[in-house]
Amino acid sequence: MPSIKAAITAVGGYVPDYVLTNQELEQMVDTTDEWITTRTGIKERRILKEPGKATSDMGAEAVKRLCASRGIHPEEIELLICCTTTPDMVFPATANLICHKVGAKNAWGFDLAAACSGFLYGLATGSQFIESGRCKKVVVVGADKMSSITDYQDRTTCIIFGDGAGAVLLEPGEAGYGVIDFLLKSDGSGCQHLHMKAGGSLRPASIETVMNREHFVYQEGKAVFKFAVVDMAEVAYEVMQRNQLKAEDVAWLVPHQANKRIIDATAHRMNLPEDKVMLNIQRYGNTTAATIPLCLWDYESRLKKGDNLILAAFGGGFTWGALYLKWAYDPH
């Protein structure tokens, strides 16, 4: 009997209505549209402005759209993994809140935190439950409300991040289709370069931490760029090499949308032309765990059954990795 593979059989996405443009950021901090565009490739990003709305609300919308696309009821979902850096609260898990909001009454779930690589970690994890035969329908959500931890007085970080959510459904695939291989890595020594200083057990919230603006993303941009531009490219290339894939065999690179220059470096290492690279950073910015599933959602109509996709990401902490999958269905 051939081994079971976990195939993506549907995708869903959601971005908030509010558009934060580079021109608006020019009024908030000392920056320019040209500076932002040249260094990041970002022109605008979406921000969740509605009071009382959080990561779970965006994730729930993505899951509802996924279920509608596949024609299934949320009660058919057996497991839901929510990959996020911005959970609604410390507990309960945002995954549980998403299940409640969509009516996935028969699912169990948990949150997975791996920063910008979270969705890749979640996809690799979810695929194991399909391959083992434990589950028939697994949903992996990547969702982040980055505006909730972004300091809009810090011009080095506020230009980068946006809010959004994407989700995929994993089911047992036909022979040869689905998640084929992945390579995931982490290095905690990178913490010093990209982290949030307070809000955890090391530095619980206090008047001092709030006054010092320590509950926001802290990033040493040059150091992070140096690691990301090398590691994300190398891990994507390594996955190609060990699966005997040449550039002409790859239909799409699906990269984490952090910085256009990092994406370009990864494509260059893989010897891929620009027209094989999924790109929406100019519209959404960096939505952390949501970038890769939002790319799949945006490009779904252009994907064909049998397409070879390489997914690649780099995130804070540090985390990074690449995943090779063979697309399982033609456009609807």
Side-chain angles (χ1 to χ4, degrees):
M1 291 287 290
S3 61
I4 300 169
K5 295 295 184 187
I8 293 175
T9 57
V11 298
Y14 173 81
V15 290
D17 293 332
Y18 187 88
V19 178
L20 177 59
T21 64
N22 289 350
Q23 286 74 23
E24 187 174 348
L25 281 169
E26 288 178 345
Q27 309 305 313
M28 298 163 64
V29 291
D30 182 17
T31 192
T32 65
D33 170 55
E34 182 188 17
W35 194 93
I36 297 169
T37 304
T38 303
R39 284 160 180 79
T40 69
I42 302 168
K43 299 296 287 186
E44 57 189 42
R45 62 292 288 147
R46 301 297 185 95
I47 304 296
L48 186 62
K49 288 274 195 179
E50 293 96 316
K53 296 291 185 180
T55 297
S56 67
D57 296 289
M58 296 188 294
E61 285 300 317
V63 173
K64 288 175 186 176
R65 293 176 181 183
L66 175 151
C67 290
S69 173
R70 182 67 174 136
I72 65 168
H73 193 280
E75 289 185 3
E76 296 178 53
I77 300 168
E78 297 163 78
L79 166 62
L80 189 144
I81 302 170
C82 179
C83 314
T84 186
T85 303
T86 54
D88 287 24
M89 52 194 80
V90 174
F91 67 92
T94 301
N96 295 357
L97 300 176
I98 293 172
C99 287
H100 172 66
K101 289 176 180 180
V102 303
K105 297 179 180 178
N106 298 313
W108 64 284
F110 59 90
D111 289 0
L112 189 156
C116 296
S117 305
F119 182 77
L120 281 193
Y121 277 43
L123 198 57
T125 302
S127 69
Q128 307 307 299
F129 287 91
I130 298 292
E131 290 179 12
S132 68
R134 290 278 182 181
C135 296
K136 294 288 192 292
K137 286 182 172 59
V138 174
V139 170
V140 182
V141 180
D144 271 299
K145 185 183 176 183
M146 290 306 294
S147 62
S148 67
I149 59 169
T150 297
D151 183 354
Y152 288 95
Q153 295 180 19
D154 178 5
R155 68 175 183 170
T156 63
T157 56
C158 73
I159 64 171
I160 299 169
F161 296 106
D163 303 337
V168 300
L169 175 65
L170 293 175
E171 296 184 89
E174 297 175 41
Y177 296 93
V179 175
I180 308 296
D181 191 19
F182 57 83
L183 181 59
L184 303 173
K185 300 197 175 194
S186 64
D187 181 359
S189 68
C191 170
Q192 61 181 313
H193 303 300
L194 182 51
H195 62 278
M196 192 165 78
K197 295 180 179 180
S201 60
L202 178 64
R203 287 182 61 78
S206 67
I207 293 174
E208 180 186 7
T209 63
V210 173
M211 294 294 290
N212 290 340
R213 308 184 72 80
E214 295 180 5
H215 295 265
F216 298 117
V217 175
Y218 170 80
Q219 174 172 278
E220 294 172 3
K222 288 182 180 178
V224 173
F225 180 85
K226 188 177 81 170
F227 281 99
V229 80
V230 173
D231 292 340
M232 185 166 137
E234 284 303 317
V235 76
Y237 181 71
E238 188 174 342
V239 165
M240 281 180 66
Q241 290 290 100
R242 71 187 204 179
N243 288 280
Q244 292 83 52
L245 292 172
K246 297 182 174 63
E248 56 266 28
D249 301 322
V250 178
W252 294 98
L253 166 63
V254 192
H256 169 54
Q257 309 285 304
N259 183 294
K260 178 66 163 55
R261 290 182 294 168
I262 296 171
I263 294 169
D264 289 344
T266 303
H268 179 74
R269 184 71 178 96
M270 297 167 68
N271 200 29
L272 292 181
E274 276 194 11
D275 61 4
K276 284 190 171 187
V277 181
M278 292 191 188
L279 196 69
N280 59 16
I281 189 173
Q282 68 279 12
R283 293 190 292 129
Y284 302 145
N286 182 352
T287 54
T288 305
T291 66
I292 288 176
L294 279 175
C295 275
L296 294 174
W297 181 54
D298 273 356
Y299 281 78
E300 183 187 18
S301 64
R302 298 167 66 177
L303 293 171
K304 298 187 295 293
K305 187 175 182 179
D307 278 353
N308 290 317
L309 274 58
I310 302 290
L311 286 55
F314 186 92
F318 289 131
T319 60
W320 68 102
L323 182 146
Y324 164 39
L325 67 85
K326 192 174 284 287
W327 195 251
Y329 63 94
D330 284 317
H332 299 306

